[in-house]
Amino acid sequence: MPVPKTFILPSSHRPPDTDENSFRNMKFPFDWEKMFKTIGFPAYMKPHDGGGWKSVYRVESPEDLWAKHGETENLVMMLQEEINFTEYFRCYVLDTDKVHIMQYEPRNPHHLRYVLDGDPVDKKILDLVEDYCIRLNKALGYDFNTVEFAIRDGIPYAIDFCNPAPDADVNSVGRENFDWIVENAADMAIGKAKKYKKGQMNLTWGSFVTDQIAAPKAPKKKGAVKTAVSKKTPIKKATATNARVKKASAKTATETAVSPKVAVKKAAAKQAVTKKMDTKKTTATKVAKKKAPAKKAATNAKTAKK
Ligand SMILES: Nc1ncnc2c1ncn2[C@@H]1O[C@H](COP(=O)(O)OP(=O)(O)O)[C@@H](O)[C@H]1O
Ligand SMILES: [Mg+2]
């Protein structure tokens, strides 16, 4: 998923309940130069968990950034590459996969931002936007969200995707968008009410959460992890030694209890054994996975430019 290049900045004021001994893990002086080179100017500086355009700044230079950063008190700000866009979309996403794309012009005055009779947009871009909306929401697990994309060189960059209480005022979104969200949100609510099972876990989670507790996927290369497991735990022995498997399952009990969907005994046992054998490897894979999207974004951008 393409996202703008982004750094997280330390807050201007120290958070409450911390003192000069806190944050000793942070390295100073901060490498501002490296950040400025990577992000460029003008850039956006905005809270990592903001909303409603509050404390969103467009900064022109390091001095401008530091002056504005000084106003942000305890907020944890992100410094983000500006996406110079040709189109911008706000998309309602319901039940993780029902998408309504709205053309938006954030550079217009507030009451004219939803473009109600804009030029037709390339279907390829709309398809990509819809696909990214679904991917994001399946990962985040939102039932109700608004996702924003800025399009540069035909590539949609995800700008803002955590809006579980988005604008749905008929006076700003317009009649057509308003009717869509009312109708479809009502349908979703009715559907959920009908599916509700008393006494059961009716909550759902995004894959961002469930993937953390599900059995790790088999490694691509036949090898490392599996070999390590089978070397120390011959297959026959592992199947026969129920006690061992049970012990292993118990280890992941807390995790699997969170989501009954992933409480597959076999998987839990495998996960526990893998965990026991190769904790370091698992951690490394997770870190690598986290880094991947940014790299992918860069690759995507390059490919599409061609
Ligand atoms: N990286 C960016 N590039 C270009 N415009 C941006 C960028 N980040 C934010 N903006 C502009 O600022 C507006 C508000 O930022 P956003 O991240 O949506 O914050 P909020 O969560 O407060 O709505 C966006 O709608 C967009 O117009
Ligand atoms: Mg926004």
Side-chain angles (χ1 to χ4, degrees), residues 216-236:
K217 282 176 193 149
K220 271 186 190 163
K221 277 187 198 168
K222 275 185 194 171
V225 178
K226 264 196 178 168
T227 329
V229 174
S230 54
K231 254 187 199 164
K232 290 197 177 174
T233 323
I235 296 170
K236 263 189 192 169

CSV table of all heavy atoms in Angstrom, one decimal, residues 216-236:
chain,number,residue,atom,x,y,z
A,216,PRO,N,1.8,-18.9,12.7
A,216,PRO,CA,2.6,-18.3,11.7
A,216,PRO,C,2.5,-19.1,10.3
A,216,PRO,O,2.4,-20.3,10.4
A,216,PRO,CB,4.1,-18.4,12.2
A,216,PRO,CG,4.1,-19.3,13.3
A,216,PRO,CD,2.6,-19.5,13.8
A,217,LYS,N,2.5,-18.3,9.2
A,217,LYS,CA,2.4,-19.0,7.9
A,217,LYS,C,3.7,-19.8,7.7
A,217,LYS,O,4.8,-19.4,8.2
A,217,LYS,CB,2.2,-18.0,6.9
A,217,LYS,CG,0.7,-17.5,6.8
A,217,LYS,CD,0.6,-16.4,5.8
A,217,LYS,CE,-0.8,-15.7,6.1
A,217,LYS,NZ,-0.8,-14.3,5.7
A,218,ALA,N,3.6,-20.8,6.9
A,218,ALA,CA,4.8,-21.6,6.5
A,218,ALA,C,5.8,-20.7,5.8
A,218,ALA,O,5.4,-19.9,5.0
A,218,ALA,CB,4.4,-22.8,5.6
A,219,PRO,N,7.0,-20.8,6.2
A,219,PRO,CA,8.0,-20.0,5.5
A,219,PRO,C,8.1,-20.3,4.0
A,219,PRO,O,7.9,-21.4,3.7
A,219,PRO,CB,9.3,-20.3,6.2
A,219,PRO,CG,9.1,-21.6,7.0
A,219,PRO,CD,7.6,-21.7,7.2
A,220,LYS,N,8.4,-19.3,3.2
A,220,LYS,CA,8.5,-19.5,1.8
A,220,LYS,C,9.5,-20.5,1.4
A,220,LYS,O,9.2,-21.4,0.6
A,220,LYS,CB,8.7,-18.1,1.1
A,220,LYS,CG,7.5,-17.4,0.8
A,220,LYS,CD,7.7,-16.2,0.0
A,220,LYS,CE,6.5,-15.3,0.0
A,220,LYS,NZ,6.7,-14.0,-0.4
A,221,LYS,N,10.7,-20.3,1.9
A,221,LYS,CA,11.8,-21.3,1.6
A,221,LYS,C,11.5,-22.5,2.5
A,221,LYS,O,11.3,-22.4,3.7
A,221,LYS,CB,13.1,-20.7,2.0
A,221,LYS,CG,13.7,-19.9,0.9
A,221,LYS,CD,15.1,-19.5,1.3
A,221,LYS,CE,15.6,-18.3,0.5
A,221,LYS,NZ,16.8,-17.7,1.0
A,222,LYS,N,11.5,-23.7,1.8
A,222,LYS,CA,11.3,-24.9,2.7
A,222,LYS,C,12.5,-24.9,3.6
A,222,LYS,O,13.7,-25.0,3.2
A,222,LYS,CB,11.4,-26.1,1.8
A,222,LYS,CG,10.0,-26.4,1.2
A,222,LYS,CD,10.1,-27.7,0.4
A,222,LYS,CE,8.9,-27.8,-0.5
A,222,LYS,NZ,9.0,-29.0,-1.4
A,223,GLY,N,12.2,-24.8,4.9
A,223,GLY,CA,13.4,-24.9,5.7
A,223,GLY,C,13.4,-24.4,7.0
A,223,GLY,O,12.6,-24.9,7.8
A,224,ALA,N,14.3,-23.5,7.2
A,224,ALA,CA,14.8,-23.1,8.5
A,224,ALA,C,13.9,-23.5,9.7
A,224,ALA,O,14.3,-24.3,10.5
A,224,ALA,CB,15.1,-21.6,8.5
A,225,VAL,N,12.7,-22.8,9.8
A,225,VAL,CA,11.9,-23.1,11.0
A,225,VAL,C,11.5,-24.5,11.1
A,225,VAL,O,11.7,-25.2,12.1
A,225,VAL,CB,10.7,-22.1,11.0
A,225,VAL,CG1,9.8,-22.4,12.2
A,225,VAL,CG2,11.2,-20.7,10.9
A,226,LYS,N,11.0,-25.0,9.9
A,226,LYS,CA,10.5,-26.4,10.0
A,226,LYS,C,11.6,-27.4,10.4
A,226,LYS,O,11.4,-28.3,11.2
A,226,LYS,CB,9.9,-26.8,8.6
A,226,LYS,CG,8.5,-26.5,8.5
A,226,LYS,CD,7.9,-27.2,7.3
A,226,LYS,CE,6.4,-27.0,7.3
A,226,LYS,NZ,5.9,-27.5,6.0
A,227,THR,N,12.7,-27.2,9.7
A,227,THR,CA,13.8,-28.1,10.0
A,227,THR,C,14.2,-28.1,11.5
A,227,THR,O,14.4,-29.1,12.1
A,227,THR,CB,15.1,-27.7,9.2
A,227,THR,OG1,14.7,-27.1,8.0
A,227,THR,CG2,16.0,-28.9,8.9
A,228,ALA,N,14.2,-26.9,12.0
A,228,ALA,CA,14.6,-26.7,13.4
A,228,ALA,C,13.6,-27.5,14.3
A,228,ALA,O,14.0,-28.2,15.2
A,228,ALA,CB,14.6,-25.3,13.8
A,229,VAL,N,12.3,-27.4,13.9
A,229,VAL,CA,11.3,-28.1,14.7
A,229,VAL,C,11.4,-29.6,14.6
A,229,VAL,O,11.5,-30.3,15.6
A,229,VAL,CB,9.9,-27.6,14.3
A,229,VAL,CG1,8.8,-28.4,15.0
A,229,VAL,CG2,9.7,-26.1,14.6
A,230,SER,N,11.5,-30.0,13.3
A,230,SER,CA,11.5,-31.5,13.1
A,230,SER,C,12.8,-32.1,13.7
A,230,SER,O,12.8,-33.2,14.1
A,230,SER,CB,11.3,-31.8,11.7
A,230,SER,OG,12.3,-31.1,10.9
A,231,LYS,N,13.9,-31.4,13.7
A,231,LYS,CA,15.1,-32.0,14.2
A,231,LYS,C,15.0,-32.3,15.7
A,231,LYS,O,15.3,-33.4,16.1
A,231,LYS,CB,16.3,-31.0,14.0
A,231,LYS,CG,17.2,-31.3,12.9
A,231,LYS,CD,18.4,-30.4,12.9
A,231,LYS,CE,19.1,-30.5,11.6
A,231,LYS,NZ,20.0,-29.4,11.4
A,232,LYS,N,14.4,-31.3,16.4
A,232,LYS,CA,14.4,-31.6,17.8
A,232,LYS,C,13.1,-32.3,18.2
A,232,LYS,O,13.0,-32.9,19.3
A,232,LYS,CB,14.4,-30.2,18.6
A,232,LYS,CG,15.8,-29.6,18.5
A,232,LYS,CD,16.0,-28.5,19.5
A,232,LYS,CE,17.4,-28.0,19.4
A,232,LYS,NZ,17.7,-26.9,20.3
A,233,THR,N,12.1,-32.3,17.3
A,233,THR,CA,10.8,-32.9,17.7
A,233,THR,C,10.4,-33.8,16.5
A,233,THR,O,9.6,-33.4,15.7
A,233,THR,CB,9.7,-31.9,17.9
A,233,THR,OG1,10.3,-30.8,18.5
A,233,THR,CG2,8.5,-32.4,18.7
A,234,PRO,N,11.0,-35.0,16.4
A,234,PRO,CA,10.6,-35.9,15.3
A,234,PRO,C,9.1,-36.0,15.2
A,234,PRO,O,8.4,-36.1,16.2
A,234,PRO,CB,11.3,-37.2,15.7
A,234,PRO,CG,12.3,-36.9,16.7
A,234,PRO,CD,11.8,-35.7,17.4
A,235,ILE,N,8.6,-36.1,13.9
A,235,ILE,CA,7.2,-36.1,13.7
A,235,ILE,C,6.4,-37.1,14.6
A,235,ILE,O,5.5,-36.8,15.2
A,235,ILE,CB,6.9,-36.3,12.2
A,235,ILE,CG1,7.5,-35.1,11.5
A,235,ILE,CG2,5.4,-36.4,11.9
A,235,ILE,CD1,7.5,-35.3,10.0
A,236,LYS,N,6.9,-38.4,14.6
A,236,LYS,CA,6.2,-39.4,15.3
A,236,LYS,C,6.1,-39.0,16.8
A,236,LYS,O,5.0,-39.1,17.3
A,236,LYS,CB,7.0,-40.7,15.2
A,236,LYS,CG,6.6,-41.6,14.1
A,236,LYS,CD,7.3,-43.0,14.3
A,236,LYS,CE,7.0,-43.8,13.1
A,236,LYS,NZ,7.9,-45.0,13.1
